């Protein structure tokens, strides 16, 4: 059974930081591209960041470049999202996702990720 369990969300003031974690079980983590997506109230789910299974190459949506960092620890089956300089518009439920297809190049399409966590809420107050 595949499970992705996110943690680390919460309430933070604008300008603050949070680190999200996501632990994957049931798949070979080192062979999964991992992604973070978010969904704000009343909006569609959107891509945030992704990290490749092989080279550790990363890609970010423009809105978070320079503020967010995605990383992975294959020994712990965990992917992280370090979020700095948070803004109220970053408020959303953040979802971790896994793609085991070994595709290249990296994908930002939610439909390419076959496995999802339950989400962790992030609220940034102004």
């Amino acid at each position: 059974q595949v499970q992705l369990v996110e943690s680390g969300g919460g309430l933070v003031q604008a300008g603050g930081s949070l680190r999200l974690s996501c632990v994957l079980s049931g798949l070979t983590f080192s062979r999964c591209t991992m992604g973070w997506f978010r969904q704000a109230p009343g909006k569609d789910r959107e891509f945030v960041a992704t990290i490749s299974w092989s080279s550790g190459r990363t890609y970010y949506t423009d809105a978070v470049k320079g503020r967010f960092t995605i990383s992975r620890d294959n020994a712990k089956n965990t992917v992280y999202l370090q979020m700095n300089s948070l803004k109220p518009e970053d408020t959303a439920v953040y979802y971790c996702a896994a793609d085991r297809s070994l595709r290249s190049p990296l994908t930002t399409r939610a439909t390419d990720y076959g496995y999802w966590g339950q989400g962790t809420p992030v609220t940034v107050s102004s």
Side-chain angles (χ1 to χ4, degrees):
Q1 181 180 359
V2 178
Q3 279 192 312
L4 293 94
V5 180
E6 302 104 330
S7 61
L11 173 64
V12 64
Q13 289 189 330
S17 298
L18 284 175
R19 188 176 82 154
L20 306 182
S21 300
C22 172
V23 180
L24 171 65
S25 60
L27 293 175
T28 303
F29 180 80
S30 60
R31 293 176 65 80
C32 288
T33 290
M34 301 301 295
W36 286 98
F37 291 75
R38 66 186 180 185
Q39 187 166 18
K43 295 188 176 181
D44 293 334
R45 189 170 300 189
E46 65 173 354
F47 167 78
V48 176
T50 184
I51 185 166
S52 72
W53 66 276
S54 54
S55 65
R57 185 163 50 95
T58 59
Y59 183 76
Y60 300 89
T61 189
D62 286 347
V64 308
K65 282 180 181 176
R67 300 189 298 123
F68 290 12
T69 302
I70 188 171
S71 62
R72 64 190 298 155
D73 185 336
N74 287 347
K76 295 182 178 180
N77 291 352
T78 302
V79 62
Y80 304 98
L81 187 68
Q82 178 67 43
M83 306 187 295
N84 298 329
S85 302
L86 282 160
K87 305 176 181 180
E89 51 264 44
D90 294 318
T91 295
V93 177
Y94 283 71
Y95 297 90
C96 170
D99 171 16
R100 68 170 183 172
S101 71
L102 307 182
R103 79 180 71 242
S104 180
L106 294 174
T107 179
T108 64
R109 299 192 305 182
T111 52
D112 286 336
Y113 292 81
Y115 304 92
W116 292 83
Q118 81 290 348
T120 185
V122 171
T123 302
V124 184
S125 63
S126 57

